[in-house]
Amino acid sequence: MRDISRRQAIIGLGAFASLALTACGSDSETPAKATDAANKAGSMASYGVGQQFKATEPLSFDVLYNNHSFYPNKPDWLFWSELTKRTNVTFKPVEVPLSDYEKKRGLLIAAGDAPLIIPKTYHPQEEAFVSSGAILPVSDYFNLMPNFQDKVAKWQLQPELNSIMQTDGKIYLLPGLHEAAWADYSFAVRTDILEKLKLEVPKTLDDFYNMLKAMKAEYPDLYPMTDRWGVPTPGGNLIKLIAQAYGTKGGWEYQHATFDTAQGKFVYTGAMPQYKQAIEYLNKLVKEKLLDPESFTQQDEAAKQKFISGKSFVISTNAQVLINDYRAALTENVKDAKIVKIPVPTGPAGDFKVATRLENGIMISKKALENKNFVAMMQLIDWLWYSDAGLEFAKWGVEGTTFTKDGDKYKLADDIDYVGLNPGAPKHLQKDFGFGNGVFAYGGPTKLLQSTFSDEEMEFQNVMNARKQWPVEPAAPLSEEEREQVSLWETPLKDHVTQNTLKFILGERDLAEWDAYVKELESKNSTQYITLVNGAYDRFKKSHGG
């Protein structure tokens, strides 16, 4: 994401610590309406860390629900009934297909029809709804969330929170919190092919290229690599990982601004020399027919079928996809096939782990503040998404039914599978019970995160965790006026970067035209964009003692 070879540390973040949680949501600063008796119906008068939340009367809240195709919602899931049993609250999910979630969410919010609770939002997606007042500044209500506050303080997450703060000093997204940064997405590689070719698992981008070259030499009629997650973001994971290795942001992670420590300022990502280097690398793979050019536009199922039928040997993955989508299907089609999720290949940026301790999170509709059960809703959110008990419940389910526990050791019930822990079991934790659901189960203590990791996944994590952690970028919150201005620039800029990135990679535009492309970005206000961001960074730094 950033050029670590030129940047060694974050600037001024230590000075931002004074922001902490008191600056975001102390009792004295919380709007009176949030603590009025009219907003407290159903809430617990005394609710704190480690305490089971239970509404004092039956309540229900609608929640925008990202309906995953692998485990589509079932009204009879144990998750729903047990949540009500424990909390006296019933969720009413407003289902939206995974493939259409972002668009539908935006339409619902714009129309004023969004549910009160809007999960599965990745920063900076919330910024599009700040100026209209459609979502609440959730930091005003941190005082209602003792478990959230406890974890932020205990895990020293203030710098991460600073990074999503707006210029008014408020935060509009309740992020998932990890005790430690972790990486999941990488590449799945056919290790039986590596063994046949007497190759080691690649550690660097050069190794990765040489591996694909060797595969191509042995199987000249095939593309060694085809990829998924090319829709709707072309090369979502692939470009992201290659860009990281060069010290910039791309694919899923693309943002217009990247902080350059050497210069002490933000630069425009899509014009960085490192971004060009990432494109050149991918262009080389396509040109030499090592990478299927359809990788950037094909649907996931097409990419998956190529891989599991033995027509390609490398594809993007994460831990769950490796088990759920590839392993069993591949071995059914290709005898003796073996695959592994390799540690993310490193590049010129160095041996770093690029990962954040903030996850996707929750927006709260402005309508929630008018709800008489507002305080109870915030207490519920705090318990389910941030308490140790709530995090365990969302991930593992009901002790004695879906799992057993001995100290810190969890064991899935023998008749239930999840991420390959009990392969062949007749039931599935996500599909049949609703636990391990990405809408509710993420973040938390490292021990809980790793409790479902296989020995194989732990090997991957151990390699990644041995790397140095990429620093958090400093905050540069834009004012409302500045946000309105950049919103006019962002879409044309992003579209131009995306379109030309793809053209360069596929050879449809000559890389000799890079300087012309940069000029085109400047004509679309990339320079003015970065000037505004740097002004916001300087303003924030000065106002908070940076």
Side-chain angles (χ1 to χ4, degrees):
M1 294 176 357
R2 277 87 57 191
D3 178 12
I4 199 64
S5 63
R6 299 167 61 195
R7 293 190 272 287
Q8 298 303 318
I10 187 163
I11 291 183
L13 272 178
F16 297 164
S18 60
L19 290 171
L21 293 175
T22 54
C24 298
S26 66
D27 289 339
S28 63
E29 293 182 357
T30 300
K33 191 170 183 181
T35 53
D36 283 347
N39 292 87
K40 289 184 173 181
S43 67
M44 294 176 63
S46 177
Y47 168 68
V49 175
Q51 187 174 0
Q52 171 66 52
F53 166 76
K54 189 157 190 176
T56 58
E57 59 186 79
L59 303 177
S60 67
F61 300 110
D62 50 359
V63 56
L64 195 62
Y65 184 78
N66 188 0
N67 206 14
H68 201 293
S69 57
F70 182 72
Y71 46 93
N73 178 39
K74 295 179 181 178
D76 63 350
W77 271 348
L78 180 59
F79 174 86
W80 302 122
S81 58
E82 186 69 19
L83 178 69
T84 300
K85 177 181 175 182
R86 296 189 186 198
T87 67
N88 211 15
V89 174
T90 300
F91 271 160
K92 295 180 178 178
V94 177
E95 297 178 12
V96 178
L98 173 66
S99 60
D100 201 33
Y101 189 74
E102 289 183 31
K103 180 180 178 181
K104 183 67 172 178
R105 179 185 61 204
L107 292 173
L108 286 170
I109 294 175
D113 296 328
L116 300 184
I117 303 172
I118 311 169
K120 212 65 179 174
T121 300
Y122 290 85
H123 176 75
Q125 293 172 349
E126 80 280 9
E127 292 180 354
F129 311 109
V130 170
S131 60
S132 67
I135 59 173
L136 291 183
V138 289
S139 54
D140 282 345
Y141 313 105
F142 283 171
N143 68 304
L144 303 176
M145 305 182 68
N147 288 288
F148 177 90
Q149 289 184 303
D150 179 63
K151 284 181 167 52
V152 169
K154 185 167 56 180
W155 296 342
Q156 301 180 342
L157 284 161
Q158 283 92 344
E160 281 84 353
L161 288 185
N162 292 346
S163 73
I164 65 171
M165 187 178 293
Q166 303 303 311
T167 192
D168 57 6
K170 300 178 188 292
I171 292 169
Y172 290 77
L173 178 71
L174 274 171
L177 307 177
H178 284 286
E179 180 180 4
W182 71 292
D184 185 13
Y185 287 80
S186 185
F187 301 117
V189 174
R190 284 273 302 276
T191 50
D192 57 306
I193 302 296
L194 295 187
E195 292 169 4
K196 178 179 179 180
L197 300 177
K198 297 181 172 54
L199 296 173
E200 299 291 330
V201 169
K203 295 181 180 180
T204 67
L205 287 186
D206 286 343
D207 294 340
F208 194 76
Y209 166 76
N210 290 329
M211 173 193 71
L212 295 176
K213 284 278 286 185
M215 289 175 169
K216 183 67 176 179
E218 183 70 17
Y219 302 94
D221 297 332
L222 301 179
Y223 287 109
M225 180 175 184
T226 195
D227 211 27
R228 63 185 299 166
W229 296 320
V231 180
T233 304
N237 183 59
L238 173 59
I239 298 178
K240 179 191 84 168
L241 296 182
I242 302 303
Q244 285 180 0
Y246 283 99
T248 186
K249 305 169 189 168
W252 283 333
E253 283 185 338
Y254 185 82
Q255 292 183 26
H256 296 282
T258 293
F259 191 73
D260 185 325
T261 300
Q263 299 185 57
K265 65 180 183 179
F266 285 89
V267 296
Y268 192 76
T269 305
M272 291 175 68
Q274 296 87 350
Y275 194 81
K276 180 185 179 184
Q277 290 173 326
I279 287 175
E280 288 173 332
Y281 180 88
L282 289 164
N283 170 257
K284 180 171 67 172
L285 298 189
V286 171
K287 188 185 298 182
E288 298 183 20
K289 297 185 177 180
L290 308 180
L291 173 64
D292 183 354
E294 294 181 356
S295 295
F296 302 92
T297 55
Q298 66 188 345
Q299 295 293 326
D300 285 2
E301 188 61 29
K304 174 185 168 183
Q305 288 302 320
K306 290 176 184 178
F307 183 74
I308 64 173
S309 64
K311 293 179 180 178
S312 66
F313 312 124
V314 183
I315 191 171
S316 280
T317 193
N318 62 28
Q320 288 199 43
V321 164
L322 185 76
I323 303 300
N324 295 338
D325 285 8
Y326 303 150
R327 182 158 283 156
L330 175 64
T331 52
E332 284 180 10
N333 293 321
V334 183
K335 185 181 179 182
D336 299 327
K338 294 185 293 185
I339 54 172
V340 68
K341 183 176 77 166
I342 67 170
V344 179
T346 59
D351 195 20
F352 283 85
K353 176 176 68 172
V354 184
T356 177
R357 293 197 290 164
L358 299 187
E359 262 279 6
N360 70 85
I362 302 165
M363 295 186 292
I364 305 296
S365 169
K366 68 176 181 180
K367 297 182 296 184
L369 203 55
E370 303 166 4
N371 191 296
K372 67 178 182 178
N373 307 125
F374 175 77
V375 172
M377 186 188 80
M378 297 304 291
Q379 290 177 341
L380 169 71
I381 291 171
D382 181 67
W383 179 81
L384 180 57
W385 275 278
Y386 299 104
S387 76
D388 288 346
L391 288 162
E392 179 185 87
F393 166 71
K395 188 178 185 73
W396 278 97
V398 180
E399 188 168 5
T401 301
T402 59
F403 76 98
T404 55
K405 188 178 179 184
D406 182 9
D408 289 331
K409 301 290 185 182
Y410 292 81
K411 185 179 185 301
L412 201 58
D414 291 341
D415 61 343
I416 301 173
D417 187 28
Y418 175 55
V419 293
L421 294 177
N422 285 329
K427 301 175 185 175
H428 194 278
L429 189 65
Q430 294 169 307
K431 294 180 179 180
D432 299 307
F433 298 93
F435 299 108
N437 186 323
V439 177
F440 307 110
Y442 53 83
T446 299
K447 284 185 178 179
L448 181 66
L449 170 70
Q450 296 179 348
S451 64
T452 56
F453 288 177
S454 64
D455 291 343
E456 175 186 8
E457 177 62 16
M458 279 308 305
E459 288 181 19
F460 172 87
Q461 293 296 329
N462 289 337
V463 173
M464 297 301 295
N465 290 339
R467 301 177 180 179
K468 289 176 282 188
Q469 175 59 46
W470 203 277
V472 180
E473 282 195 338
L478 300 175
S479 68
E480 183 174 332
E481 182 180 344
E482 289 167 340
R483 260 197 317 271
E484 290 177 354
Q485 178 60 70
V486 301
S487 69
L488 301 176
W489 297 336
E490 286 180 331
T491 298
L493 280 169
K494 179 71 177 294
D495 287 347
H496 198 68
V497 171
T498 300
Q499 291 164 9
N500 283 277
T501 295
L502 198 53
K503 288 180 179 179
F504 283 132
I505 290 173
L506 298 178
E508 296 172 1
R509 186 173 186 181
D510 197 313
L511 276 158
E513 297 183 25
W514 180 263
D515 290 344
Y517 154 76
V518 172
K519 290 290 186 184
E520 292 158 10
L521 292 176
E522 292 170 356
S523 74
K524 296 180 184 296
N525 302 297
S526 63
T527 302
Q528 292 93 320
Y529 185 101
I530 290 301
T531 298
L532 276 186
V533 171
N534 279 316
Y537 163 61
D538 290 337
R539 182 175 62 232
F540 187 86
K541 185 171 59 169
K542 289 174 184 176
S543 66
H544 294 93

